[in-house]
Amino acid sequence: MVALLNSLIELDANGVAWITGANTKVVEVVLDKMAHNSSPEEMHEQYPHLSLAQIHAALSYYYENQAEVDADIERWNRYVEELRVQHRNPLTRKELESRLAARNDQRENSEPAS
């Protein structure tokens, strides 16, 4: 079931706020605002599929529900950090580049001469 908050913002069955008809979560617009401090007009350039009205509605939803949205963002950040710690890649970039170079050398040496 979807709850329509207004003509531009709706909540899905999980309580996630979406911009109506845009396949874009409100939090995506919010995170862009947080990361780049973009104006709605600048955000419109980054998200041309969103109207200025949709961007303003997303930001308005955020400001009306800031504590809840910020808590969701923090939960997501903790979850991502837990996954990162659990699945830490033991290889450094230098080690990966070295392996790639060795594999490329091996391929070059194994190709038949023309």
Side-chain angles (χ1 to χ4, degrees):
M1 174 175 198
V2 174
L4 187 64
L5 299 179
N6 62 44
S7 64
L8 300 174
I9 304 296
E10 57 190 36
L11 295 179
D12 67 13
N14 297 317
V16 176
W18 291 80
I19 298 173
T20 303
N23 198 30
T24 303
K25 295 178 186 176
V26 167
V27 73
E28 294 174 49
V29 173
V30 170
L31 289 172
D32 187 77
K33 175 72 173 166
M34 289 177 169
H36 306 290
N37 199 27
S38 304
S39 70
E41 292 77 16
E42 291 167 329
M43 295 170 84
H44 180 59
E45 290 176 19
Q46 296 300 314
Y47 300 97
H49 66 286
L50 298 178
S51 69
L52 280 173
Q54 289 173 309
I55 292 167
H56 282 285
L59 294 173
S60 179
Y61 175 87
Y62 170 66
Y63 293 125
E64 289 177 2
N65 301 279
Q66 188 168 359
E68 180 184 337
V69 175
D70 285 347
D72 288 342
I73 292 169
E74 182 56 33
R75 272 191 298 278
W76 178 254
N77 286 340
R78 281 195 310 272
Y79 173 71
V80 169
E81 181 59 23
E82 288 170 10
L83 288 177
R84 190 183 68 75
V85 168
Q86 291 172 7
H87 303 284
R88 196 173 289 277
N89 187 346
L91 299 175
T92 65
R93 180 183 178 108
K94 187 175 182 176
E95 290 168 323
L96 288 171
E97 288 172 344
S98 176
R99 286 185 180 191
L100 180 60
R103 188 172 75 190
N104 288 340
D105 288 344
Q106 184 181 27
R107 284 184 182 165
E108 288 174 7
N109 293 333
S110 67
E111 291 178 0
S114 349

